[in-house]
Amino acid sequence: MELSSLSRRAFSALAGTTVLGFALGGSVSGAAPAGPPGPVPTGPPPGPPGADGLRHRVALDRYSLLVDGRRLSLWSGELHPFRLPSPSLWRDVLQKMRAYGHNAVSVRLAWNQHSPAPGAYDFTGVRDLGLFLRTAAESSLYVVVHPGPYIGADVDAGGLPGWLAATGARPRTTDPAYLRHADEWLSRVNAVVAPHQFTRGTGTVLLYRADAPDRAGLTHLHERIRADGIDVPLLHAGTTLAWDEAERTRDAAEARRVHLDGLARGTTLHNVHMAYGGTSWGWLPAPSAPTPTYDPAAAIDEARRPTAELAPLHQLGHLLRHVPDFTRLDEAAQVRAADARVQVRHLANPDTGAHAYVLRNDSAAAVTSTVPMDGTDVEVTVPARDAKLLATGLHLGAGRKLAYATVQPMLSLSVGRVDIAAFVGRAGEMAHLVVDCPQEPWPTRLDEEAAWAFDHGKLHVTVPLKEDRLTRVRVRGADSDRTLLLLLADDAASLRLWPYETPSGRVLVRGPELLREAALDGDTIRLTGDTVDERELEVWAPRGISRVTWNGTAVQASFGRAQSLMTVWPLPGVPEVALPELDGWRRRTENPESAPEYGDSGWTVADRRTSHSTTPVPGGQPVLFADDYGHHYGDVWYRARLTGAAGLESVSLSYATGARGLLMAWLDGEPLGVHRPDGGPDTWTGTAELGVPAGLRATRRERADDGDSAVLSVLVRRTQHGQDDPRAARGLTSAAFEGASPDVRWRIRGAVAPDPVRGPLNHGGLYGERHGWHLPGYDDGDWEKASPADLPREDRRQGVTWYRTTFRLDVPPEVDASVGLVLDDAPDGDHRVQVFLNGWNMGEYAAGRTGAAHTFVLPNGVLRTRAATNTLALAVLADGESAPGPGTVRLELLGSAAGGVPVKPVASPGRRRD
């Protein structure tokens, strides 16, 4: 359930009512500051947040958040820490989010990742919430916490733990059994979150999102959270706080339309879903997640690289941060474009007189039209299925004001002796910028593309925007003794503009692919960041700064006509990174559980007659549902001893799984076949009608005098719990037999105890998993040598085959390399591959399935990149029709940069010796 978004008019009607008080209540520090009645005027935003030791006040009116009496336009980006199992890389992504314009990060917390069993909770290692919150504060980002208990997010059971399905509790209700467990989870989370609240000055947690299905549940939740010491404002379904969480967008144009539309509708709390997508590794993904890659269209992709969607988010984030006029906007007089295909929303700031115009073109062709803007008909082109944000009346530093422009403002700030205003548009368009100047100024063209003219008190600047090119125009004189610098950029060039706020003043950096941090030290500005290509570096800094260092190394720089420090030589690009070939493979088949003589005396007897599942138990049959026997994740084995099975002709096995589930069956060690269920939105069900092969029936008749017992072995890839009905059964549901009516005694076996480091979602019940074949340090010296891509066509078998190898990487310490594992499969393959790196389950590849992942991003930290050895293990489930191998397996460099953050290896314990 997502939070609703209300229009500004609806919010205004509700502001100040008891409903708003309920959302914000329970906190003195969260109350609005004392002062005269009326709206807080437009002004400078609060400084970058941090754990500064000071008490802070957080409130909200119908325009924006109010932090210590200053307007804050929240521009949040969502990141799920559990989808990046490398705490060092949290800092990398958080720094990128801040650099790309976000001032907040929204985090969902998956209960199932932290709790392997009732009463057991783990907030260490890759689950260290306190570390994440500290890192966010160090990255100058506010935090919006969403611990659920239900979070959705295409996570197994919506984040609810698997063990909850076996307790009888009714999730997301006021059922006392559910509330007892949910309260315990929230109290454990709140114990970590409370010390990091911004109101206390000990962290940057600014808002708290809660999952409440109804009013009664909300009341209980509110009391629970406040009792745990959470005093920041609460957000919940139906709240009057206008939290706007746009659905995923496909490209930059759609991202512009969606987020500019939110601005036009009066959204006060913006959230980008997702700023970073990450990986649904292990058994984390819900059936609705088609691949381990979560949100491939995220602004920062799974390999931590910027995508095409990022530019409009970067531009809008910095606009909301650096142009305070946009924190208080009212609907203004209706404006119509000459061409009706261009829709216009007109807004105005009552304090500054600035006007905003959101232009939207939903047609399939670019539209050029005139739009009346502050008394002038301005000709504007809006590309097909795109949008623009234009403005009039913006103050561009001391004594100068924007009359109008055909390109979007991105930032306006003062640095040292210069006022800087940046505007952005699409490559190929002609930017027209008009500045009110009662007296004729002295413009200077610093780049050859610019042209200018002065006419009737207005300075007209025109610039053809070129791909990845910044154009600078310097304006002096007229009514101000300060220099105005106009920067005009296309999308690509805008992604290399980096404003940064230091305790000693603002700076602006141009050139590198990323600016992580800037610090002023005497006469030196110390910059850290990333480069990919060779890049010139230009820095606007406060007075007295004359030296520059980049990543700890001094760079030669001198002052230029733009009143900036410009490096004499470009910053170096990233050196080439070489990856090894994957060879030295070892191979071993498994599934001894299919053999009739296999010893299963230690398995759990499946003889229950009642279940906590929402799936009915078939009449006359025992409960076979995996969750009722404590097996909540991964593959599950069943073995049935059939007495009185003479004449058995076929077996009918009904089962339920999530997406990409399957069933394999054997009778007395002979394969009966493989079955895949029919698709469904949340739970996939199927019935495998498996005939007993004629040869096996003949063999059984020959042995009839020795008894008529048989052993049926069944492997079910039960996969994920659904989000809509997490208590629906997984695994076998019933069995029927043709040709005989045997007495049946079932046993079941799934995963052994959860991995104490990697968590409960890391492995399942395959024989190799139970015996540590996926772990580093396992001795595979007696396995046969075999290449996964070089298997004889006759080598076909139904069952599980493992492949293991090791490889060594030696990436230079100054290089951040993102590496992927690529499976180049045969087009007719139809098998499943579970990928383990250093014992961590990176996810499943389902060959021959639409949308199946071919490339697995291997996060640094789990992947050892600094002169270290890695262990790769692949578990292949084959149907007997295709080769039991994953095809060609290779490493691929997904991206690299000179820079990055220090990475600590993620704990990856090996197999324990017996």
Side-chain angles (χ1 to χ4, degrees):
M1 181 182 298
E2 302 296 343
L3 300 175
S4 63
S5 175
L6 300 182
S7 68
R8 178 173 286 114
R9 184 173 299 168
F11 183 85
S12 179
L14 289 169
T17 66
T18 56
V19 178
L20 179 59
F22 185 74
L24 295 171
S27 169
V28 175
S29 60
V40 174
T42 302
D52 55 14
L54 304 175
R55 302 287 292 187
H56 295 281
R57 294 170 297 179
V58 181
L60 183 136
D61 66 10
R62 67 190 181 97
Y63 296 104
S64 71
L65 278 168
L66 303 173
V67 174
D68 296 329
R70 293 188 177 190
R71 293 201 173 279
L72 173 70
S73 185
L74 194 76
W75 182 246
S76 172
E78 189 147 332
L79 180 158
H80 301 158
F82 54 82
R83 284 194 161 104
L84 184 56
S86 178
S88 297
L89 297 185
W90 296 343
R91 184 178 301 276
D92 173 71
V93 176
L94 289 170
Q95 287 184 347
K96 287 174 178 173
M97 289 176 61
R98 188 215 61 79
Y100 290 127
H102 290 290
N103 58 13
V105 56
S106 175
V107 294
R108 304 191 198 203
L109 307 177
W111 184 1
N112 56 13
Q113 195 205 20
H114 292 271
S115 182
Y121 292 91
D122 185 354
F123 290 92
T124 64
V126 299
R127 294 164 292 279
D128 193 337
L129 175 59
L131 174 61
F132 181 88
L133 297 178
R134 291 193 299 274
T135 306
E138 292 164 3
S139 302
S140 300
L141 289 172
Y142 294 106
V143 181
V144 181
V145 175
H146 183 191
Y150 175 89
I151 61 170
D154 288 333
V155 175
D156 183 284
L160 302 177
W163 54 258
L164 192 65
T167 64
R170 299 191 304 279
R172 308 190 71 198
T173 69
T174 54
D175 171 27
Y178 171 67
L179 292 179
R180 184 173 64 253
H181 293 298
D183 285 353
E184 183 178 51
W185 157 245
L186 291 177
S187 291
R188 296 297 185 99
V189 170
N190 295 341
V192 179
V193 170
H196 294 273
Q197 293 179 95
F198 185 64
T199 47
R200 299 185 183 184
T202 51
T204 57
V205 174
L206 187 71
L207 298 170
Y208 188 110
R209 293 180 61 187
D211 168 53
D214 53 32
R215 185 73 184 187
L218 178 60
T219 300
H220 174 89
L221 193 60
H222 181 273
E223 294 172 351
R224 168 76 275 150
I225 293 170
R226 293 307 188 207
D228 289 338
I230 302 298
D231 58 25
V232 297
L234 304 182
L235 305 177
H236 52 80
T239 184
T240 53
L241 285 81
W243 175 269
D244 187 58
E245 184 170 283
E247 293 301 316
R248 299 173 181 176
T249 54
R250 294 167 294 183
D251 52 32
E254 186 175 13
R256 261 187 297 272
R257 292 202 314 274
V258 166
H259 293 289
L260 291 181
D261 184 61
L263 182 70
R265 286 186 286 104
T267 296
T268 56
L269 308 176
H270 305 262
N271 187 58
V272 176
H273 182 88
M274 300 285 297
Y276 169 78
T279 303
S280 297
W281 54 276
W283 297 110
L284 180 68
S288 52
T291 72
T293 299
Y294 186 66
D295 195 358
I300 303 172
D301 73 8
E302 189 180 7
R304 299 176 289 112
R305 303 168 299 181
T307 68
E309 188 179 351
L310 186 58
L313 307 182
H314 176 69
Q315 297 159 8
L316 185 53
H318 284 299
L319 175 71
L320 294 175
R321 172 65 189 167
H322 297 284
V323 184
D325 305 72
F326 291 89
T327 61
R328 187 183 178 200
L329 293 172
D330 285 318
E331 287 191 38
Q334 187 175 29
V335 169
R336 296 183 185 276
D339 191 317
R341 290 176 294 174
V342 176
Q343 306 165 49
V344 183
R345 295 289 295 272
H346 180 203
L347 308 163
N349 185 300
D351 301 322
T352 67
H355 290 251
Y357 304 83
V358 177
L359 281 56
R360 176 170 173 148
N361 173 18
D362 291 333
S363 73
V367 176
T368 299
S369 176
T370 57
V371 178
M373 294 168 55
D374 200 22
T376 303
D377 286 339
V378 180
E379 186 175 271
V380 179
T381 298
V382 184
R385 299 188 178 92
D386 209 331
K388 277 190 172 185
L389 171 63
L390 305 181
T392 64
L394 293 180
H395 289 275
L396 306 179
R400 298 187 179 92
K401 183 181 288 188
L402 176 70
Y404 64 86
T406 62
V407 283
Q408 176 177 312
M410 174 177 166
L411 57 84
S412 178
L413 50 84
S414 296
V415 181
R417 299 181 180 89
V418 63
D419 298 326
I420 305 173
F423 294 82
V424 292
R426 311 293 83 74
E429 74 173 298
M430 179 65 74
H432 184 195
L433 188 71
V434 181
V435 181
D436 285 326
C437 296
Q439 299 180 22
E440 185 170 359
W442 175 24
T444 302
R445 181 174 61 189
L446 303 182
D447 298 288
E448 62 183 14
E449 291 85 358
W452 61 270
F454 181 75
D455 181 45
H456 293 88
K458 296 185 184 296
L459 176 66
H460 294 256
V461 178
T462 55
V463 174
L465 299 182
K466 295 186 177 181
E467 183 70 32
D468 200 12
R469 185 69 179 264
L470 180 79
T471 301
R472 302 163 299 168
V473 177
R474 188 182 65 199
V475 182
R476 292 176 174 172
D479 298 321
S480 177
D481 59 358
R482 289 181 61 82
T483 296
L484 171 64
L485 186 67
L486 300 174
L487 307 179
L488 294 102
D490 75 319
D491 283 350
S494 76
L495 283 171
R496 293 190 289 107
L497 280 176
W498 309 109
Y500 197 94
E501 296 167 78
T502 77
S504 302
R506 291 177 172 179
V507 302
L508 179 65
V509 176
R510 179 185 70 85
E513 274 77 11
L514 181 69
L515 177 69
R516 294 183 181 274
E517 294 179 325
L520 305 182
D521 181 10
D523 65 352
T524 303
I525 182 168
R526 304 189 184 279
L527 306 174
T528 59
D530 298 359
T531 56
V532 176
D533 300 316
E534 286 190 352
R535 294 293 187 186
E536 62 184 7
L537 176 66
E538 187 172 15
V539 180
W540 290 270
R543 298 181 183 186
I545 299 298
S546 58
R547 300 183 183 184
V548 181
T549 68
W550 177 256
N551 288 343
T553 301
V555 294
Q556 187 176 353
S558 60
F559 285 100
R561 293 192 300 163
Q563 293 188 299
S564 61
L565 278 168
M566 179 78 79
T567 54
V568 175
W569 307 106
L571 300 175
V574 62
E576 184 177 351
V577 176
L579 299 179
E581 292 187 4
L582 297 178
D583 53 18
W585 289 94
R586 298 277 182 168
R587 174 191 182 209
R588 184 173 179 180
T589 59
E590 57 134 289
N591 52 277
E593 300 93 338
S594 63
E597 65 275 9
Y598 179 81
D600 59 15
S601 59
W603 291 24
T604 301
V605 175
D607 59 357
R608 297 187 178 185
R609 295 294 167 177
T610 60
S611 171
H612 292 300
S613 173
T614 55
T615 303
V617 179
Q621 298 215 23
V623 174
L624 298 176
F625 313 155
D627 284 305
D628 286 279
Y629 298 97
H631 304 307
H632 309 299
Y633 307 108
D635 301 296
V636 178
W637 274 98
Y638 297 85
R639 280 172 58 89
R641 297 192 178 276
L642 313 179
T643 304
L648 183 63
E649 297 177 354
S650 67
V651 178
S652 178
L653 300 172
S654 296
Y655 65 113
T657 76
R660 298 176 301 282
L662 60 76
L663 174 147
M664 297 180 175
W666 295 259
L667 185 65
D668 287 342
E670 294 293 326
L672 295 183
V674 176
H675 190 270
R676 299 167 185 83
D678 298 327
D682 215 27
T683 294
W684 295 19
T685 60
T687 299
E689 303 288 351
L690 305 173
V692 178
L696 181 57
R697 293 203 303 270
T699 300
R700 291 189 53 74
R701 285 195 299 270
E702 293 174 0
R703 293 189 300 188
D705 292 341
D706 299 326
D708 58 0
S709 65
V711 176
L712 175 65
S713 303
V714 183
L715 174 62
V716 178
R717 174 145 287 187
R718 35 97 13 100
T719 64
Q720 313 95 328
H721 301 85
Q723 296 186 106
D724 294 337
D725 186 6
R727 292 195 296 156
R730 289 294 184 265
L732 279 182
T733 55
S734 67
F737 306 92
E738 290 290 333
S741 299
D743 178 64
V744 185
R745 294 290 183 268
W746 288 98
R747 291 181 182 268
I748 184 173
R749 181 69 183 267
V752 293
D755 189 309
V757 171
R758 301 173 181 93
L761 289 86
N762 193 70
H763 61 266
L766 295 180
Y767 181 89
E769 291 174 303
R770 303 198 310 266
H771 291 80
W773 293 9
H774 61 300
L775 298 176
Y778 179 81
D779 185 3
D780 57 16
D782 60 346
W783 291 22
E784 66 174 319
K785 296 180 180 180
S787 167
D790 187 20
L791 293 169
R793 293 190 58 83
E794 65 272 11
D795 189 1
R796 302 285 190 267
R797 66 181 296 272
Q798 175 184 300
V800 186
T801 303
W802 283 77
Y803 296 85
R804 283 175 54 95
T805 191
T806 59
F807 62 92
R808 182 181 176 87
L809 295 180
D810 195 2
V811 177
E814 70 276 8
V815 173
D816 177 14
S818 183
V819 179
L821 182 76
V822 180
L823 279 65
D824 291 326
D825 198 34
D828 60 347
D830 195 358
H831 52 251
R832 311 295 168 83
V833 183
Q834 209 69 29
V835 177
F836 294 91
L837 175 67
N838 295 324
W840 288 84
N841 185 341
M842 293 290 100
E844 178 197 49
Y845 167 52
R849 298 283 166 154
T850 302
H854 284 72
T855 301
F856 293 82
V857 176
L858 308 178
N860 296 345
V862 175
L863 178 69
R864 309 290 201 253
T865 62
R866 313 293 191 207
T869 298
N870 297 273
T871 298
L872 179 64
L874 309 175
V876 182
L877 278 67
D879 59 7
E881 299 295 327
S882 56
T888 301
V889 183
R890 56 186 172 86
L891 298 175
E892 181 176 290
L893 185 65
L894 303 178
S896 62
V901 298
V903 176
K904 294 182 179 180
V906 174
S908 301
R911 181 175 182 270
R912 291 184 299 233
R913 299 297 178 185
D914 295 332

